[in-house]
């Protein structure tokens, strides 16, 4: 007779588990969260008897968590009752990094994720971000029916993210909670997190020293980063866009691990993509990795090492002259715009369309998702379906890249994916699992929370997605959009033009409907206008002519506004220098000044 059978408190739960496994109705009183966990395990295909070998998860080659935790756990291990208690450390993917001691079933597998072993305390602690206990029949596996386990999440001292879990497992405990090993688990987690904090402070000091050595003189454009901290010199502020910084962090982790020498990198046009760059054996001199043009700078990179491992990098940036390729504006302004945000989005979309596989174009309503997709699909005769017009599409087949050139093969452009029926979303999920190179382009407008089926589809497409910026985020493009959106003039009449005052009013409007709203305004003006000369501010609709309504600034906005005004005062009104000192781009500074223009502030001053 097992311990579970001997425990009156757990006997009803054990009987409920047996009924669940045999497909019989469950009795009343079974906790909903336990039943939900059992159902997830059955959905994942977990066998309660672990029939056949459990697939072991690949151990991380370099685990900073294990490196920091090992000394603390080694000190704690002698306090365990080795014959009855086990102490287990996992990473954020619930892969077992370290274990000691012994408990029933504790050596069964090296992966504690629910997809592999069903409900357990480590998976529950990771999901809830707090201490979690699972006892006997609450587990899904047979081998853990006589086990009680308590797990505590481990948090990063810098970011607050969960880095892994610590679990204390022992023979079944049927008494009142907390678990007898809860205090031990909490103490072990506190010791590991203290070691993580001590190592983080030492690593930050090493990164700061490397930055100060490289930033000799204010004219040097130097960036130092380690994935958590970023140090940017004043000269580098104008070159190091967020996309460049993200690319540098990827380079640090991917290419700075095996050599302490400097090497040059031509940053990619789409800094969000991963890429490979081989490091030559003779890495003693700088060299360039042939990557797509467009980042506007090059970077000579030196990895920063501490304790025998790479913790970050120092990059010396240099401006590079970029000659943009001339492009013909597409219909309706699909590709029109010279702002950094828009050029980056178009470049990202163009790169994705050139390679096999599905593409997700997301953004607010009216940002031009469908127009951009049609422009890039020009010449392929796509099949266009709109879920907003007919949610029940009955999707059965999506062409794949392997079938290109076959008669009747057409890519599918799916509009308004957020309106799809659950049946069609499930069909798309199945098709993309079977054919990852499917020729599908989907547009999506974020709004209400997606259901689990649609969220799964969006997660699948995230790696091949592009987000179009809202029109309010690129007001400098309005001047270029107006000619593309203006209908052709009536024969004998001059084309539509705009005064500077009218253009300024258009740039200050928030445009909740984005490019579509701007296009409607332009067409309406062109249709009803009976006078000659440029369009004046007084001809615009009231909400556009009068500008956004003023409002009281929030405390955070007041602090931001004060910092901007102080930077402008310190640099004699020079916006470029003020933006560099603040560590933001000039376009961002101009946008902030426009947003604060006309808003109320306690001191009554205006930027």
């Amino acid at each position: 007779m097992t311990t579970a059978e001997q425990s009156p408190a757990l006997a009803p739960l054990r009987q409920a588990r047996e009924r669940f496994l045999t497909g019989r109705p469950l009795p009343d009183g079974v906790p909903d969260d336990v039943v939900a966990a059992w159902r997830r395990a059955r959905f994942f295909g977990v066998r309660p008897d672990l029939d056949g070998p459990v697939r072991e998860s690949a151990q991380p080659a370099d685990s900073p968590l294990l490196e920091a935790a090992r000394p603390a756990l080694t000190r704690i291990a002698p306090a365990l009752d080795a014959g009855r208690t086990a102490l287990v450390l996992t990473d954020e993917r619930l892969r077992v990094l370290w274990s000691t001691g012994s408990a029933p079933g504790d050596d069964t597998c090296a992966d504690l994720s629910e997809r592999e072993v069903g409900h357990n305390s480590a998976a529950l602690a990771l999901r809830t971000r707090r201490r979690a206990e699972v006892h006997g029949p609450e587990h899904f596996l047979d081998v853990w029916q006589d086990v009680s386990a308590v797990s505590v999440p481990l948090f990063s001292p810098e970011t607050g993210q969960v880095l892994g879990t610590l679990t204390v497992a022992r023979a079944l405990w049927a008494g009142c909670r907390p678990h007898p090993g809860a205090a031990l688990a909490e103490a072990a987690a506190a010791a590991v997190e203290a070691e993580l904090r001590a190592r983080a402070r030492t690593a930050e000091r090493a990164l700061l020293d490397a930055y100060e050595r490289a930033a000799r003189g204010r004219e040097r454009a130097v960036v130092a980063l380690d994935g958590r901290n970023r140090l940017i010199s004043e000269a580098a502020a104008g070159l190091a866009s967020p996309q460049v910084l993200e690319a540098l962090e990827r380079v640090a982790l991917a290419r700075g691990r095996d050599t302490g020498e400097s090497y040059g990198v031509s940053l990619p046009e789409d800094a969000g993509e991963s890429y490979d760059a081989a490091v030559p054996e003779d890495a003693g001199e700088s060299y360039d990795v042939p990557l797509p043009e467009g980042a506007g700078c090059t970077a000579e990179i030196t990895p920063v090492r501490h304790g025998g491992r790479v913790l970050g990098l120092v990059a010396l940036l240099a401006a590079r002259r970029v000659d943009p390729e001339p492009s013909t504006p597409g219909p309706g302004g699909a590709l029109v715009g010279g702002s950094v945000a828009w050029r980056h989005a178009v470049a990202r979309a163009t790169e994705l369309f050139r390679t096999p596989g599905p593409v997700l174009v997301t953004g607010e309503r009216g940002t031009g998702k469908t127009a951009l997709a049609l422009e890039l699909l020009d010449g392929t005769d796509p099949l266009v379906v709109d879920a907003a017009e007919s949610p029940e599409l009955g999707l059965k087949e999506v062409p794949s890249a392997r079938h290109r050139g076959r008669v009747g093969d057409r890519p599918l452009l799916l509009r308004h994916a957020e309106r799809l029926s659950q049946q069609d979303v499930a069909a798309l999920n199945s098709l993309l699992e079977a054919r990852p190179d499917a020729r599908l382009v989907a547009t999506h407008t974020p709004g209400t929370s997606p259901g689990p089926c649609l969220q799964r589809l969006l997660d699948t497409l995230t790696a091949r997605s592009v987000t179009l910026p809202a029109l309010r985020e690129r007001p400098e493009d309005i001047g270029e959009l107006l000619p593309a959106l203006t209908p052709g003039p009536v024969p004998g009449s001059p084309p539509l033009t705009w005064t500077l005052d009218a253009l300024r009013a258009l740039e200050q409007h928030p445009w909740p409907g984005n490019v579509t709203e701007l296009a409607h305004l332009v067409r309406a003006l062109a249709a009803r206008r009976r006078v000659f000369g440029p369009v004046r501010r007084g001809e615009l609709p009231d909400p556009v002519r009068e500008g956004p309504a003023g409002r009281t600034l929030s405390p955070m906005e007041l602090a931001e506004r004060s910092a901007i005004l102080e930077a402008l005062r310190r640099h004699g009104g020079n916006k470029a220098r003020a933006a560099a000192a603040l560590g933001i781009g000039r376009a961002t500074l101009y946008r902030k000044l426009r947003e604060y223009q006309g808003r109320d502030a306690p001191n009554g001053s205006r930027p």
Side-chain angles (χ1 to χ4, degrees):
M1 181 177 292
T2 66
T3 309
E5 291 172 330
Q6 295 172 351
S7 171
L10 294 175
L13 191 60
R14 179 180 61 81
Q15 295 170 1
R17 176 179 176 274
E18 291 176 355
R19 296 179 68 89
F20 177 84
L21 295 178
T22 55
R24 290 177 291 169
L26 296 178
D28 295 334
V30 183
D32 292 341
D33 57 338
V34 175
V35 176
W38 290 345
R39 287 173 176 165
R40 285 196 302 273
R42 185 170 59 187
F43 175 79
F44 292 141
V46 179
R47 293 287 299 267
D49 57 358
L50 283 185
D51 186 22
V54 176
R55 184 177 72 250
E56 290 196 1
S57 177
Q59 295 294 328
D62 180 18
S63 172
L65 174 61
L66 177 58
E67 183 182 343
R70 193 191 300 274
L73 298 182
T74 304
R75 292 193 299 270
I76 294 172
L80 297 175
D81 183 354
R84 300 181 54 194
T85 307
L87 180 62
V88 182
L89 171 71
T90 75
D91 64 6
E92 76 284 357
R93 291 168 54 185
L94 295 176
R95 297 175 296 184
V96 175
L97 301 176
W98 182 92
S99 64
T100 189
S102 177
D106 71 320
D107 57 350
T108 304
C109 59
D111 189 329
L112 299 184
S113 65
E114 282 195 336
R115 290 181 177 272
E116 296 296 333
V117 296
H119 189 44
N120 63 88
S121 62
L124 184 58
L126 187 70
R127 185 169 66 251
T128 61
R129 295 173 60 90
R130 62 176 182 267
R131 191 182 75 197
E133 299 183 17
V134 176
H135 299 271
E138 294 177 342
H139 293 100
F140 190 74
L141 295 186
D142 294 341
V143 295
W144 287 342
Q145 294 305 295
D146 292 338
V147 175
S148 284
V150 57
S151 297
V152 178
L154 295 168
F155 296 99
S156 166
E158 295 89 10
T159 65
Q161 295 178 334
V162 178
L163 300 178
T165 65
L166 264 176
T167 299
V168 174
R170 52 156 287 165
L172 186 61
W173 172 257
C176 298
R177 302 195 181 199
H179 186 283
L184 176 61
E186 295 278 10
V192 172
E193 290 177 348
E195 182 66 23
L196 288 170
R197 283 192 295 272
R199 289 173 178 250
R201 287 193 292 269
T202 305
E204 288 172 359
R205 183 69 240 180
L207 186 71
L208 177 60
D209 290 344
Y211 169 78
E212 291 177 343
R213 287 194 301 269
R216 298 187 303 271
R218 297 169 58 86
E219 72 282 354
R220 302 196 81 190
V222 176
V223 174
L225 39 78
D226 60 3
R228 300 180 302 272
N229 305 291
R230 291 177 177 177
L231 304 173
I232 306 173
S233 69
E234 185 174 346
L239 296 174
S241 66
Q243 293 77 21
V244 168
L245 294 175
E246 291 172 7
L248 288 175
E249 287 174 344
R250 287 186 175 89
V251 171
L253 296 175
R255 292 293 159 253
R257 193 178 302 276
D258 299 324
T259 175
E261 306 297 335
S262 301
Y263 58 94
V265 174
S266 299
L267 296 174
E269 181 178 2
D270 180 2
E273 279 193 31
S274 60
Y275 52 88
D276 293 325
V279 179
E281 295 181 1
D282 56 342
E285 297 182 2
S286 299
Y287 65 91
D288 288 331
V289 178
L291 296 173
E293 301 288 333
C297 65
T298 59
E300 183 182 335
I301 294 173
T302 303
V304 179
R305 294 180 177 274
H306 176 71
R309 66 183 181 91
V310 173
L311 61 89
L313 64 80
V314 172
L316 181 62
L317 305 184
R320 179 180 59 195
R321 183 172 179 271
V322 178
D323 298 321
E325 297 181 2
S327 60
T328 303
L335 299 181
V336 173
S339 63
V340 174
W342 181 249
R343 286 175 56 195
H344 176 74
V346 171
R348 165 78 170 163
T350 303
E351 189 68 25
L352 290 175
F353 273 92
R354 289 173 180 167
T355 58
V359 176
L360 176 68
V361 183
T362 184
E364 296 180 6
R365 62 183 179 91
T367 49
K369 300 182 291 292
T370 301
L372 176 61
L374 288 173
E375 183 71 17
L376 296 174
L377 282 170
D378 185 35
T380 63
D381 188 25
L383 175 64
V384 182
V385 293
D386 193 336
E389 297 177 359
S390 177
E392 298 288 344
L393 299 176
L395 295 174
K396 300 294 183 184
E397 183 67 19
V398 180
S400 72
R402 291 190 296 269
H403 301 149
R404 288 187 177 181
R406 205 172 66 179
V407 177
D409 178 31
R410 300 166 64 190
L412 173 65
L413 172 55
L414 171 62
R415 300 185 62 203
H416 301 108
E418 68 280 0
R419 304 284 189 89
L420 280 173
S421 67
Q422 186 170 351
Q423 180 179 359
D424 283 327
V425 174
L428 279 178
N429 281 324
S430 300
L431 286 167
L432 291 178
E433 283 184 3
R435 302 168 66 177
D437 60 344
R439 301 184 67 198
L440 165 69
V441 181
T443 68
H444 174 256
T445 303
T448 58
S449 298
C453 207
L454 178 58
Q455 186 60 58
R456 179 183 167 196
L457 174 64
L458 297 177
D459 291 342
T460 301
L461 298 176
T462 295
R464 292 181 54 83
S465 66
V466 56
T467 301
L468 301 189
L471 186 56
R472 64 180 174 275
E473 297 172 357
R474 54 180 189 118
E476 60 268 36
D477 289 342
I478 290 179
E480 297 181 49
L481 284 167
L482 289 174
L485 298 174
T486 303
V490 177
S493 64
L496 203 63
T497 59
W498 308 78
T499 64
L500 290 177
D501 194 32
L503 182 60
R504 188 175 298 110
L506 295 175
E507 291 175 345
Q508 293 174 345
H509 188 62
W511 299 110
N514 293 292
V515 179
T516 299
E517 182 184 357
L518 177 63
H520 285 316
L521 181 147
V522 171
R523 286 197 291 268
L525 270 176
R528 71 169 186 263
R529 200 162 188 260
R530 296 293 181 265
V531 297
F532 292 98
V535 177
R536 298 182 300 277
R537 190 186 189 108
E539 299 179 61
L540 300 176
D542 290 346
V544 181
R545 180 176 67 249
E546 295 171 1
R551 65 172 175 82
T552 303
L553 298 176
S554 68
M556 183 172 293
E557 288 174 325
L558 284 172
E560 184 180 63
R561 180 178 180 274
S562 298
I564 291 174
L565 291 177
E566 176 60 21
L568 287 171
R569 184 194 63 76
R570 215 169 42 242
H571 294 279
N574 188 307
K575 294 184 177 62
R577 293 180 180 176
L582 292 166
I584 61 177
R586 279 181 294 177
T588 301
L589 178 64
Y590 293 153
R591 177 171 57 81
K592 292 290 184 183
L593 292 175
R594 281 195 300 268
E595 289 174 355
Y596 295 145
Q597 184 72 26
R599 293 185 182 178
D600 296 333
N603 58 9
S605 61
R606 296 173 60 173

